[in-house]
Amino acid sequence: MSGLRVYSTSVTGSREIKSQQSEVTRILDGKRIQYELVDISQDNALREEMRNLAGDPKAIPPQICNGNKYCGVRDSRAGCRGCGDRQDPENPALRVPFLP
């Protein structure tokens, strides 16, 4: 596994999850950062992969990984969970180590 991966789901009844997924992809697209969108609703193995990388058996999308390194995710309730030490100045709750 290599490159930036955004774990998301196309099947959710949660407006919050949909909103967070849209925000993550909007930010990455706006910064022209290439990523692979992984839909965990297509395969339970993908959901387990996401949870293993996040180190949380109850992790929900969206989650961001760079290769096998967990980069975190923006969480409107708690700021940023599992984030790196670089903070995006335009989106302070999104700290991702892959940003320049």
Side-chain angles (χ1 to χ4, degrees):
M1 181 183 348
S2 64
L4 189 64
R5 297 178 71 152
V6 176
Y7 291 88
S8 66
T9 183
S10 60
V11 180
T12 182
S14 168
R15 281 189 273 166
E16 184 176 0
I17 289 174
K18 286 179 187 177
S19 175
Q20 288 177 351
Q21 290 178 162
S22 294
E23 185 172 12
V24 167
T25 56
R26 179 187 57 78
I27 292 168
L28 295 174
D29 290 343
K31 295 186 173 296
R32 294 184 175 89
I33 297 173
Q34 293 184 349
Y35 60 92
E36 175 187 1
L37 194 60
V38 179
D39 186 354
I40 66 166
S41 68
Q42 301 300 310
D43 187 346
N44 285 338
L46 293 172
R47 183 184 68 214
E48 292 307 312
E49 175 183 289
M50 174 194 75
R51 289 178 171 174
N52 287 335
L53 289 167
D56 180 355
K58 295 181 180 182
I60 58 173
Q63 301 291 333
I64 304 170
C65 294
N66 193 351
N68 288 324
K69 183 177 180 181
Y70 178 63
C71 297
V73 65
R74 184 185 192 288
D75 185 336
S76 59
R77 295 177 312 269
C80 184
R81 298 185 317 237
C83 300
D85 58 357
R86 304 275 322 242
Q87 191 170 26
D88 181 349
E90 296 170 14
N91 301 284
L94 182 64
R95 294 185 197 172
V96 284
F98 53 84
L99 288 175

